[in-house]
Amino acid sequence: MPYYREQLLSAWPSHLTFEVGGQPPKIDPEILASMTMTEFGGYAPNPVKTRRNQIERTRPADKDNVPLMAPKFLSEKAREPTSSTDERRGSDVVEALGAVALGAGLKAEVPLMYRIVEIKYSKFGVDDFDFEYYNKTTYSGLEIHIANSYSNPLLQLYRFTPLLRNLALQHTATSCLSETCLLCEMGFLFNMLESASGQNCQATNFLKTFSSLPQAAAMALLEEESPNNSLAAMIQVLNRFLLERISSDYKQMLPQSQALDMTLAMAALTSIRCVKCHSETHSMKGQMRGPLPSFSQVLKASVERETQTRGWCDKCRRYQSLATRKTIQGVPDVFMLNAAVNSLEAKQYWATPGWLPSEIGIIVEAGQLFCYEGEDLRLHLQRAIHYITVYELIGVVADITSGENQASHLVSLVNVGLSAAEPQAESQWHLFNDFLVKKVSKDEALGFNPSWKVPSVLAYQIKRGSNAVDDSWKENLDTTLLYHDYSYNNPQSPKEYRLLSASEAPRAGTQVAIDAEFIALQQEEIEIKADGSRETIRPSRLGLARVSVLRGYGEDEGLPFIDDYIATSEPVVDYLTAFSGIKPGDLDAKVSQHNLVPLKVAYKKLWLLLNLGCVFIGHGLPKDFRTINIHVPRAQVVDTVELFFIKARQRKLSLRFLAWFLLREDIQTETHDSIEDARTALRLYRKFQEFDDAGVLGSILPDIYARGRELGFKVPSAASRDGTDGPDRGAVSGPATPVKKSKAPSSATSSGGAAQAWTPGKGNLFSSPLK
């Protein structure tokens, strides 16, 4: 086959090729054998091997649109024996993706790594899905089962733009409590993506706030209200909307600062001239972020273009044709450019290899903008006659059209090396296809194909801003919220918590106990297949209803300092009272007797504790944190589920069973209470410390599981305990181990004073000062 440098005319794009039919199915040999021949043909009885109106599919399988094979669920892998084959499953997909990467020539086939990725759900929900299968990097992807998650690529692009990232986090660390502040939500999201270090994340809270804005619905930016709109067009409108919105949010805090406008806004003088009388008016624009379709000369023409519209002329006193032209006065530190790739000619420009420059230089002089790239830029830098501002390409949001039978979707290609704390030796381009993240070459990232890959949004940042990661916001956290009450309704009922005092200020290593309760805001969507099997299309959506945080140290250990109920304006489909303790009316500001706060206030308290370095103690915390939409590093989590777990047994123990067996307490008898659950988890952690210090933990765990198997891992009813007060301990005896000197830390002391001595193997195993 000869080699061609250009695409052949015979390589028809996918939108111009159509399936017109399939081959007829082969006649069953049984029919041919029993056929009665006549002069016009033959006939035979129908063996009826298919159902009514069912026909055989004869079209060949569409190999170009083969989706990525979903991995096994985590629960399935846990039941399989470990082998070298299983260990390589995660790397196999990376190798497969690399094997089909875009080559030097333009290909009509879409590489697998660009295709739509889907989350599969088992009976354990989304937590059972193996996200690590798709991401072997240290950069976190975003999940797609949330409404309006088409914005994921744009949020990733913002997150890797250092100057924008810095401003978002600095604003989030202030005292801003506005429920509609997208800049705060952006800061929360960026912080979560950074601390997750490759674990999957979700933009739940950001998208919830965004979806609640009336302007978003008016501009047709919500997927459910604009199902037929082009995602490429929606992401460009969203880009313009978000930049305007976060600029407004940034100015809400006093003293007002223009730092965000200086970073994102282009100063321009707009001149409006009447074509008839030539009278001219001028106005200064500080925010010009229109769509810019290309670079260098085209970029200049796009910025300074003259447009004609019909409008009112004060001099002529009538409507005339008005010519509008913008004169550039200054350029921002970050260019967010919308690429309007609509015409076939524009697509061919982008298909030219190397047409998108990695660096551009801009000179503003006498109201004119000049843009240079490549050799011209190098020569201007050498001559140093004019002051030239150099910009580096941060990344691209691209529209991917996989084929006729697949909807288009968006991905981002980002040079993550520019947002690292230290300069990198070479560019670090990565593909972010929702939760699929993969390192790619620069040529792959900047190569476009008009048939399936075209750019939608581009980000350039001033070169001196590269690697300018500013984490000073961590030293300037406004923690006022932790020491003052914030309430919608100011309830008159007695409070079950006491606020922190200045002497109890949390710091790195401070232990706190936490538990949260949730309500159902949306039922799960289930598809019933023809064979009767059920498949979860979208899991139920839960919302935070209550969160309690207790002191985990000092004389007041176990005393709550946060007990917030979260007000919600969304309809509640199920209060889950048996599991949450939340009843109708508890979240209604008009009738609730509890301390009601907006979601942002409750979330920010937890976010402050996280960034102050607190250690969270609780039972089954990963699922709680996931629903709250916050990522807590493992070093800051003590989960009693994992402390009392034998991996080989493949069963994790409930908080109620552990409390009954180890603490001789019955909890959750009627419903759940977050304060009770958090306090119980804290006491279980203290019990674990006692066992660990005494060196008897290894013998205690098998006893717990043995007793659990006898009871079916359920707490026996009161009637089955023969009238005894509390759990029966007759079947459990203390381990016969040598006496060890206790090394319990001072934090293990009870509120009544110093911890009493406890000797393993002597007396009652469960006689502890913390029982």
Side-chain angles (χ1 to χ4, degrees), residues 396-416:
V396 182
V397 174
D399 183 29
I400 306 298
T401 305
S402 299
E404 179 187 357
N405 299 325
Q406 282 198 349
S408 67
H409 67 289
L410 301 169
V411 303
S412 55
L413 295 127
V414 183
N415 184 3
V416 299

Side-chain angles (χ1 to χ4, degrees), residues 574-650:
D574 192 345
Y575 284 94
L576 305 173
T577 304
F579 306 100
S580 67
I582 305 298
K583 301 176 183 177
D586 284 350
L587 308 181
D588 186 348
K590 297 178 181 178
V591 298
S592 178
Q593 296 301 310
H594 306 291
N595 186 56
L596 277 180
V597 301
L599 175 62
K600 181 177 179 178
V601 170
Y603 185 93
K604 192 161 188 175
K605 290 180 182 179
L606 300 183
W607 186 78
L608 288 170
L609 294 174
L610 167 65
N611 285 283
L612 288 170
C614 291
V615 176
F616 295 88
I617 302 169
H619 194 83
L621 289 181
K623 191 169 184 177
D624 286 359
F625 288 147
R626 175 184 173 81
T627 309
I628 294 171
N629 197 211
I630 191 170
H631 177 83
V632 182
R634 291 181 181 178
Q636 290 179 245
V637 176
V638 175
D639 194 341
T640 50
V641 164
E642 302 296 336
L643 297 182
F644 296 97
F645 173 56
I646 300 178
K647 190 172 184 180
R649 303 295 176 92
Q650 298 181 3

Side-chain angles (χ1 to χ4, degrees), residues 147-314:
N148 302 309
S149 57
Y150 77 92
S151 60
N152 286 351
L154 187 61
L155 295 174
Q156 291 280 17
L157 189 60
Y158 287 173
R159 171 258 190 273
F160 286 106
T161 304
L163 297 182
L164 182 55
R165 172 258 184 207
N166 293 343
L167 289 170
L169 286 169
Q170 288 166 9
H171 177 81
T172 305
T174 66
S175 58
C176 176
L177 295 178
S178 171
E179 297 177 49
T180 59
C181 179
L182 286 182
L183 190 57
C184 274
E185 296 297 339
M186 205 174 282
F188 292 142
L189 178 60
F190 293 170
N191 182 231
M192 179 169 60
L193 287 168
E194 290 180 5
S195 60
S197 300
Q199 296 182 41
N200 60 294
C201 297
Q202 47 186 344
T204 308
N205 291 349
F206 176 88
L207 293 177
K208 182 177 181 180
T209 304
F210 164 71
S211 302
S212 68
L213 298 176
Q215 301 93 323
M219 297 176 70
L221 291 176
L222 306 183
E223 279 183 301
E224 59 271 22
E225 298 180 11
S226 311
N228 299 320
N229 286 11
S230 163
L231 288 183
M234 288 178 67
I235 200 70
Q236 292 176 357
V237 178
L238 176 65
N239 181 38
R240 193 178 300 113
F241 170 75
L242 289 181
L243 294 175
E244 296 285 351
R245 183 76 190 192
I246 63 177
S247 177
S248 173
D249 290 341
Y250 192 80
K251 295 175 183 176
Q252 298 303 314
M253 294 301 298
L254 297 175
Q256 284 195 359
S257 171
Q258 301 298 318
L260 193 63
D261 275 349
M262 293 174 62
T263 301
L264 295 173
M266 179 182 291
L269 182 66
T270 302
S271 302
I272 303 176
R273 176 174 54 86
C274 177
V275 177
K276 185 74 174 178
C277 67
H278 302 291
S279 64
E280 190 168 316
T281 59
H282 302 276
S283 62
M284 193 67 183
K285 298 291 183 182
Q287 295 180 355
M288 192 190 75
R289 305 187 185 100
L292 307 175
S294 64
F295 296 91
S296 297
Q297 299 88 357
V298 183
L299 177 60
K300 172 181 170 64
S302 299
V303 173
E304 299 179 336
R305 67 183 183 276
E306 183 173 302
T307 59
Q308 284 201 3
T309 56
R310 194 160 182 81
W312 179 262
C313 176
D314 289 334

Side-chain angles (χ1 to χ4, degrees), residues 331-381:
V331 290
D333 292 340
V334 175
F335 270 118
M336 299 298 301
L337 312 176
N338 284 348
V341 188
N342 299 320
S343 65
L344 181 61
E345 182 182 9
K347 290 184 177 181
Q348 290 302 324
Y349 286 150
W350 287 104
T352 305
W355 192 72
L356 176 64
S358 299
E359 291 186 357
I360 58 174
I362 292 180
I363 298 175
V364 177
E365 192 172 277
Q368 288 188 298
L369 181 142
F370 303 92
C371 184
Y372 302 95
E373 61 182 85
E375 188 64 21
D376 291 340
L377 174 59
R378 189 181 65 83
L379 291 175
H380 273 83
L381 291 174

